[in-house]
Amino acid sequence: MSLWVGVLVVVDAVACLLSPPEGERRFLKRIKIPMILFFIVVAWIVVQATPGIVPAIAHPIWHEASAQLGIDLAPRVTIAPDLTWDALMVLLAYAGVFWLSARYGRRRENASLMLKFFVLVSTAYAVYGLTVFFGGWETILWYDKTAYRGDLTSTFINRNSYATYAAIGLVASLVYLVKILARDFRDGGTARQITRKMLDGTLVKAWLPLVGVLTTGTALMLTHSRAGFVSGMIGVFVALLCFRFSKTVSPRFGNTLIAGAVLLAVGGFWLSGDKLQERLGYFENSFGIRPSLYLRTIDAILQASATGFGYGTFEPGFRLYKNQQFSVNVWGMAHNSYLEFSFGTGWYSFGIMVTIFVLVFLSFLRRWQRENEMFYLLCGVSASIVLGLHALVDFSIQMPGVGVAYLFLIGLGYAKIIRNKDSRLRF
């Protein structure tokens, strides 16, 4: 994935050198601050993994290893250089997806095609997951499932990761559905008039997002993921509230959408059976170890708050801080993406990265009512809420399938902020 994203970024750069597109200066001006902040973080991660740059802040494990092995090892900030380089490769791929999505999403035809494509893909994953689930096959493609039997995971191993992906797909499908319906329903009308408009052909045009809402919503419930379900529903209601209080749809139609979302949530909860209810009922017991994990992670972060232990090195780094409570299992993730990023890069880099996402998120909120194509901005807002909430108790954004989907959508939303006044840009 990283290879192909890198190839596409290079091809795009060459194309821009040969034939600079319109609005290039405006694009760079708008994206300049987030880009500079991001490369500050990247530069620090490179410093972490490069031997001997700043020996004074290197992790003491290198000195101890040199003494034990009897050889001179070059000191580094990171305790596992290979893991840091690998994690940086994925981070750069995420950034490449955002860059390409923001560049090519400025053109109206591209943006519509990109959103439609994502809805199609997320729907296909949901249909596959539902087929396997109701067929009773405990497999992922042709492999037997090794975990989460009885839960819908589609092609993901972890049900929580797919729940996040399904929630993003649900939000995108819902926004795309409203985008199609809003053209006919902006002026409101009686229930009979609205029904007539739908029967006259609107539903024919909206079949894909309608199927997407039904399949991804059902799949989300059948994952039996508590945090995924809650964060997904919050993201959906945020999108619907934005539609309700904007001029995109009539108040009556907005109320209808909110009522439909409530019915979908209730119906999906019922369809998922007793398993999700049972998991919600045992929320406190099953999450009892999480607060302790977070406290131990914070204790570790405070030991290297400025430098971190190396980006992507939570599993080997946390071994030093495991007590008897955590000794049974291998903890490869902190189950909190914010704490894990701080663990790897330190508080300063974490603060810079959060600043980037806050700037992007606030830019969405400032402009969503003034933009003619606010649907893409709402996709970014809702997806950010889903990922931001779920990242408090899970690590879904660290799964490339989820991370790429998220950066694709917020890049598409950001394109509507940095686009030229002429929305029909030619590339």
Side-chain angles (χ1 to χ4, degrees):
M1 181 194 72
S2 298
L3 172 65
W4 281 111
V5 171
V7 168
L8 291 174
V9 171
V10 171
V11 170
D12 172 66
V14 172
C16 290
L17 288 175
L18 296 177
S19 178
E22 299 178 39
E24 190 69 4
R25 184 172 299 178
R26 177 183 174 87
F27 173 83
L28 295 175
K29 181 180 178 181
R30 288 286 189 178
I31 207 171
K32 177 174 63 177
I33 294 179
M35 184 171 62
I36 291 174
L37 292 175
F38 174 75
F39 278 109
I40 290 175
V41 176
V42 170
W44 170 241
I45 296 173
V46 172
V47 169
Q48 283 185 318
T50 304
I53 290 187
V54 191
I57 61 174
H59 195 279
I61 196 172
W62 293 102
H63 176 73
E64 297 177 10
S66 296
Q68 292 293 329
L69 297 175
I71 57 177
D72 188 19
L73 298 175
R76 295 176 172 88
V77 175
T78 179
I79 62 174
D82 290 346
L83 294 180
T84 298
W85 287 120
D86 186 68
L88 177 59
M89 177 182 68
V90 177
L91 183 65
L92 290 174
Y94 284 6
V97 171
F98 176 86
W99 173 264
L100 294 171
S101 182
R103 287 185 61 78
Y104 289 92
R106 290 178 291 169
R107 184 178 175 183
R108 180 176 298 177
E109 292 85 350
N110 287 349
S112 179
L113 180 62
M114 290 161 70
L115 179 59
K116 182 178 181 180
F117 176 78
F118 179 76
V119 171
L120 177 63
V121 170
S122 62
T123 301
Y125 277 102
V127 169
Y128 169 79
L130 291 169
T131 302
V132 172
F133 181 85
F134 287 111
W137 306 312
E138 298 291 349
T139 59
I140 299 176
L141 299 180
W142 51 88
Y143 299 101
D144 291 331
K145 294 177 69 171
T146 57
Y148 300 113
R149 289 177 171 265
D151 301 318
L152 194 153
T153 63
S154 189
T155 60
F156 288 73
I157 304 298
N158 191 302
R159 68 180 165 207
N160 298 308
S161 298
Y162 177 65
T164 307
Y165 185 88
I168 298 175
L170 174 59
V171 167
S173 298
L174 178 64
V175 171
Y176 187 40
L177 177 63
V178 176
K179 181 176 182 292
I180 295 175
L181 299 181
R183 300 172 185 173
D184 296 328
F185 301 154
R186 186 174 289 110
D187 298 329
T190 64
R192 179 177 297 180
Q193 291 172 332
I194 291 176
T195 303
R196 183 179 301 170
K197 290 179 182 179
M198 296 177 68
L199 295 177
D200 284 344
T202 302
L203 283 182
V204 175
K205 297 183 293 183
W207 72 268
L208 175 59
L210 185 59
V211 173
V213 168
L214 295 175
T215 55
T216 55
T218 304
L220 173 61
M221 303 302 169
L222 294 177
T223 62
H224 307 128
S225 170
R226 300 156 297 193
F229 169 75
V230 173
S231 60
M233 288 300 100
I234 292 175
V236 166
F237 282 112
V238 167
L240 292 179
L241 287 174
C242 289
F243 285 131
R244 169 63 179 80
F245 294 104
S246 69
K247 298 179 181 179
T248 306
V249 299
S250 65
R252 177 179 296 180
F253 186 50
N255 293 334
T256 302
L257 288 174
I258 294 175
V262 172
L263 291 177
L264 176 65
V266 174
F269 186 87
W270 173 81
L271 181 63
S272 66
D274 297 330
K275 191 167 184 178
L276 178 58
Q277 186 176 3
E278 178 183 350
R279 287 177 55 78
L280 289 170
Y282 287 96
F283 183 88
E284 183 177 355
N285 293 335
S286 63
F287 266 70
I289 197 171
R290 295 287 181 89
S292 299
L293 174 63
Y294 300 153
L295 290 175
R296 294 297 294 176
T297 303
I298 292 174
D299 289 340
I301 293 172
L302 294 177
Q303 301 301 313
S305 59
T307 61
F309 292 84
Y311 183 53
T313 63
F314 181 81
E315 193 275 324
F318 187 68
R319 293 174 191 167
L320 302 174
Y321 299 91
K322 290 172 64 175
N323 54 22
Q324 186 175 3
Q325 184 180 15
F326 302 103
S327 60
V328 178
N329 299 316
V330 176
W331 292 88
M333 303 287 186
H335 293 268
N336 181 307
S337 296
Y338 304 106
L339 290 179
E340 187 165 338
F341 194 91
S342 302
F343 182 95
T345 63
W347 287 122
Y348 300 123
S349 294
F350 169 73
I352 294 174
M353 187 62 72
V354 169
T355 301
I356 295 172
F357 283 99
V358 169
L359 288 175
V360 173
F361 186 78
L362 291 179
S363 65
F364 289 167
L365 295 182
R366 285 198 306 266
R367 296 173 181 269
W368 71 271
Q369 283 187 310
R370 293 182 291 173
E371 291 288 331
N372 294 327
E373 301 176 40
M374 47 86 73
F375 303 97
Y376 308 103
L377 301 180
L378 284 185
C379 267
V381 169
S382 300
S384 296
I385 290 173
V386 171
L387 264 293
L389 291 176
H390 206 183
L392 290 170
V393 293
D394 204 68
F395 46 84
S396 295
I397 195 173
Q398 297 166 236
M399 301 296 103
V402 177
V404 165
Y406 171 59
L407 270 299
F408 179 82
L409 286 181
I410 65 169
L412 183 57
Y414 204 71
K416 296 299 140 187
I417 298 172
I418 58 181
R419 68 181 178 87
N420 194 287
K421 294 181 180 179
D422 178 12
S423 61
R424 298 178 64 86
L425 287 174
R426 300 295 176 183
F427 290 90

